[in-house]
Amino acid sequence: MGCFSQRDKAFERTLCEIVRSFVRSKSSGKDRDTLASMNIWCLVLSFLLLIAVGTIAEDASDSTCEARASSTQTLNLFINSKKDEAGEWFTTFHASKTDPRMTNVKLNMTQAVYKCSNGEAVHIKGVIRGDTANSSVQTFNRLTFHPNCGTNAAISDDGRSAQKIKLEDGLNGVLLTQRPLRRNELFEVRLDKKGTKFSHSLGIGVTIYTPDSLTIPDHMWHLKSGNWMMYHSNVYVNGAETVKNYGRNFNELKVGDRVGVMVNKLGTLHFFVNGVDQGPATSNLPGTVHGVFELYYNAAKGTILDPS
């Protein structure tokens, strides 16, 4: 009984006195069985009081947890596992976060269905983690054009767009991304403006050179090392044509069309037109390359697009 407070002990003594008074009113003081029953009733009531106090403490703990759960730094996960029409188990879940500092929620889950003697058992386990804005986890870094670019290119829109300064100049519009491309990352640019003076239009590709270390050439075709480009419908490696009639002809593109380039995780280069993969262009590319976009001849303005 040492876990009771002073108020609880007083309540216990009062209960025992009530029991004793009740028993004395029903029997004589010489009845040993009656006296023994008094002590038993006191023990029973004390035990009931202990349970009541424990329940109150548990309720208080639950209310404390609920109060904490209603704070602004919570992460809730709801999981529902059931069978589909074919009798296969599947699990649906959703998570919500309320901590304004969190930038990402990562959830790793596994589900296993075991055959038991009395049916089936579904075991679900997982780890959920929220990355705060000041954590060391790398957050999404949008691609932009680096300010070191061709002399006939002007960058705007926080580095997302570039346009020609002199439309009559067909060259000097080379632009590189401000950071290397990640493997399987699509570098995609939309054609926003197109001239009519020339017959050629636009170029896109990758290079091993960084924008800080490269003297920007007037045309990437003139750079005879460390670059993979697509012009017209052909693929060029270090200025030499390697694949003829590889994909859709860039010279036929209209305003609003999109071109892209990607190096997959195996080092294979792919070009894209309006989201359509034109197929493998070449392989064995180095691990670190920057994206290249060229305002070539009729291409007058382009804007980098975020992944959809």
Side-chain angles (χ1 to χ4, degrees):
M1 313 308 293
C3 63
F4 289 167
S5 65
Q6 292 299 322
R7 183 181 63 180
D8 298 329
K9 291 179 179 178
F11 183 52
E12 179 191 4
R13 287 194 298 271
T14 301
L15 286 175
C16 289
E17 288 300 327
I18 292 173
V19 172
R20 289 189 178 96
S21 297
F22 175 77
V23 173
R24 286 191 186 104
S25 68
K26 299 296 182 180
S27 64
S28 65
K30 296 180 181 180
D31 190 344
R32 294 182 178 181
D33 292 338
T34 302
L35 294 174
S37 67
M38 281 195 307
N39 294 328
I40 293 173
W41 273 104
C42 287
L43 290 174
V44 170
L45 290 172
S46 298
F47 179 71
L48 293 175
L49 178 61
L50 176 62
I51 295 175
V53 171
T55 303
I56 293 171
E58 183 178 353
D59 290 342
S61 176
D62 289 344
S63 63
T64 301
C65 291
E66 290 176 359
R68 291 177 180 174
S70 63
S71 68
T72 59
Q73 300 181 21
T74 61
L75 181 61
N76 300 314
L77 174 65
F78 304 90
I79 301 176
N80 181 30
S81 188
K82 58 184 179 181
K83 285 186 176 181
D84 59 17
E85 295 179 353
E88 297 294 331
W89 284 96
F90 72 99
T91 298
T92 60
F93 64 89
H94 70 275
S96 62
K97 61 177 180 177
T98 58
D99 187 347
R101 299 173 304 167
M102 280 196 237
T103 56
N104 298 302
V105 174
K106 296 181 179 179
L107 175 63
N108 298 318
M109 291 185 60
T110 58
Q111 173 178 297
V113 180
Y114 298 94
K115 296 289 184 180
C116 304
S117 59
N118 59 347
E120 295 179 328
V122 179
H123 291 187
I124 301 173
K125 63 180 180 179
V127 176
I128 189 165
R129 182 179 66 205
D131 298 330
T132 57
N134 59 357
S135 70
S136 61
V137 178
Q138 186 177 20
T139 57
F140 176 67
N141 184 10
R142 300 177 78 191
L143 287 169
T144 60
F145 291 123
H146 192 278
N148 184 27
C149 60
T151 58
N152 195 33
I155 300 173
S156 60
D157 189 26
D158 293 327
R160 302 285 287 175
S161 298
Q163 67 181 58
K164 277 189 173 182
I165 299 172
K166 301 176 184 178
L167 295 179
E168 64 274 13
D169 184 356
L171 302 177
N172 295 300
V174 172
L175 300 116
L176 274 64
T177 57
Q178 96 285 9
R179 64 165 174 81
L181 302 181
R182 303 185 183 102
R183 289 297 171 100
N184 289 333
E185 179 181 20
L186 178 64
F187 170 48
E188 188 174 39
V189 182
R190 181 185 64 225
L191 181 61
D192 292 335
K193 186 176 181 180
K194 183 179 180 181
T196 57
K197 181 177 180 180
F198 307 102
S199 59
H200 305 319
S201 177
L202 197 138
I204 195 169
V206 296
T207 181
I208 62 171
Y209 298 105
T210 66
D212 290 325
S213 64
L214 179 65
T215 300
I216 304 297
D218 61 346
H219 181 19
M220 285 298 289
W221 184 82
H222 294 149
L223 188 63
K224 301 304 182 182
S225 65
N227 71 95
W228 297 259
M229 298 292 298
M230 182 175 174
Y231 300 103
H232 321 302
S233 60
N234 310 322
V235 177
Y236 297 82
V237 177
N238 301 330
E241 182 183 280
T242 57
V243 183
K244 190 174 181 64
N245 296 323
Y246 158 78
R248 184 172 172 182
N249 196 328
F250 284 176
N251 301 328
E252 300 172 353
L253 297 180
K254 300 177 181 179
V255 171
D257 284 335
R258 313 183 316 273
V259 295
V261 63
M262 173 194 292
V263 181
N264 70 16
K265 64 181 181 180
L266 300 177
T268 301
L269 182 69
H270 291 252
F271 291 97
F272 294 77
V273 178
N274 291 328
V276 178
D277 188 350
Q278 305 298 290
T282 187
S283 60
N284 298 316
L285 267 71
T288 303
V289 292
H290 282 70
V292 181
F293 178 69
E294 187 168 350
L295 294 170
Y296 177 61
Y297 286 100
N298 280 340
K301 183 179 180 180
T303 296
I304 301 175
L305 303 177
D306 286 330
S308 58

